[in-house]
Amino acid sequence: MKTFLKINQHTLEYNLFNLSQLVFEVTEECNLNCTYCAFSDLYSERRESYNKQMDFATAVSVIDYMVSIWQNYSHIYAPKRLGIGFYGGEPTLNISLIEKIVEYVDSIRFKVPRNIGFSMTTNGVLLNKYIDFFVKHNFSLLVSLDGDELANSYRVDKQGLPSFHRVYNNLKMVQEKYPVYFEENIRFNSVLNNHSNTKSVIEFFKNNFDKRPSLSQLSKSYVNPESIDKYYEICNDFKKFNLVDSDKDETASFQIENFYNEFSRMSGNFYYDINELFYNREDFGIVPTGTCVPFTKKMFVTVHGKILQCERIDHKYYLGQVIAGKVAMDLNKVAERFNILNRAFIKQCPSCVYVRHCPKCMYRLNDVVGEKKCLSYVKSTENNNTLNLEKYRNYINQLIKGAYQIKIVR
């Protein structure tokens, strides 16, 4: 068995310098009250408060911290592109902060060896008010829309009224007013539920916007035990890699992002960039569980100024925090804590059939299981390895059979 990766301060310095995504949770407020929202009664409490907004000083502190990282290590590492994202709540409810951040970033571009772009995840309700600003600054927009009126029926406002027609009309306005921007900069995410299916959702976006959405399931992590029956009622319960059967006029489901992630983990021939072709991955060890090393993918900053690896992690696992206008983050301690948490699972990991392509995040394992044990553990035996290989072979055969209906969007 190869060694497990142990990170240190230098690992995190490198990751910070090459950070590709910095995301600000600009507000906890939302103008919708979606039934399946991660912060609804369907899920256990994960926020410290509600309706708080990030202030400009917090955002500037984080940006200045990153500028100092880029300047201090520019003689060692090659610069990459940085995406600055805005998240909520509904981020357009704090548009004034977004405007200030964009203005500030534009004012310091000469200091930063980065090609910086902007993005936002939005419900689209206020798109008509701010689209000119987004077009001017070339924002990439991910619009949450679950399909037609019935499919989108869980996305309601505070009065319980449907949001579909408001969002649909806004999108049509953008498509007509800015056709090139709409084509190049607007994407969609759809949550499959018991009022929708893969085929109908894909057809809706194709017929109305000539787009293909990314598809996702309701998360089962942190579901409130008292709401588990409601969860299963809403959830479109489907097998993870069940593709549309082109020979039958029936609906099957396919979770694109999970499929992409599963095969990228499993394949020994998957590379994120050309540099990976020139070194042996085995020399660097592997991470027990499928947990991301901090800052390899993003930095997420909450409205409270806490710094997390991503928005899916409980705030108690924050890595640093903005205090008195400064980022307080001890990279040695961050690395040490990461190593300790990860190593809690390595008694199982070496003998697990999924050791090299584990889909589990250690933070969620800690919260959901409540002990250092993984419920997905499958002992690596000759029989289990054969079954695992056969499972992936079937996935690939299904993918080839239904490939004309599938477009994987990174």
Side-chain angles (χ1 to χ4, degrees), residues 97 169 192 208 229-230 266 279-280 308-309 329 333:
L97 174 60
N169 291 337
L192 292 169
N208 287 275
D229 291 339
K230 185 178 181 181
M266 176 196 67
Y279 62 78
N280 184 1
L308 301 169
Q309 287 180 232
M329 184 161 59
K333 290 184 178 179

Side-chain angles (χ1 to χ4, degrees), residues 63-81:
I63 293 171
D64 288 348
Y65 173 81
M66 290 306 305
V67 170
S68 69
I69 292 288
W70 295 325
Q71 291 177 338
N72 289 339
Y73 295 94
S74 60
H75 62 292
I76 302 177
Y77 306 127
K80 293 186 177 181
R81 185 181 186 280

Side-chain angles (χ1 to χ4, degrees), residues 20 79-84 105 109 112-118:
S20 61
K80 293 186 177 181
R81 185 181 186 280
L82 173 73
I84 295 182
V105 170
R109 283 183 186 270
V112 181
R114 288 291 182 282
N115 177 18
I116 300 177
F118 300 105

Side-chain angles (χ1 to χ4, degrees), residues 264 267-272 276 279-286:
S264 66
S267 173
N269 298 313
F270 182 90
Y271 301 90
Y272 285 100
E276 292 191 19
Y279 62 78
N280 184 1
R281 290 172 172 173
E282 299 289 348
D283 293 339
F284 293 87
I286 61 174

Side-chain angles (χ1 to χ4, degrees), residues 313-365:
I313 295 175
D314 194 296
H315 290 189
K316 67 185 179 184
Y317 295 114
Y318 70 97
L319 309 176
Q321 188 170 12
V322 177
I323 301 175
K326 298 289 184 180
V327 171
M329 184 161 59
D330 186 326
L331 297 183
N332 271 321
K333 290 184 178 179
V334 171
E336 182 181 0
R337 186 183 185 190
F338 180 87
N339 291 331
I340 290 172
L341 284 172
N342 243 320
R343 272 165 161 65
F345 296 95
I346 65 173
K347 290 182 179 180
Q348 285 184 308
C349 291
S351 61
C352 180
V353 70
Y354 301 117
V355 63
R356 298 187 185 280
H357 47 277
C358 176
K360 299 298 180 181
C361 173
M362 68 177 180
Y363 299 106
R364 293 190 177 189
L365 286 173

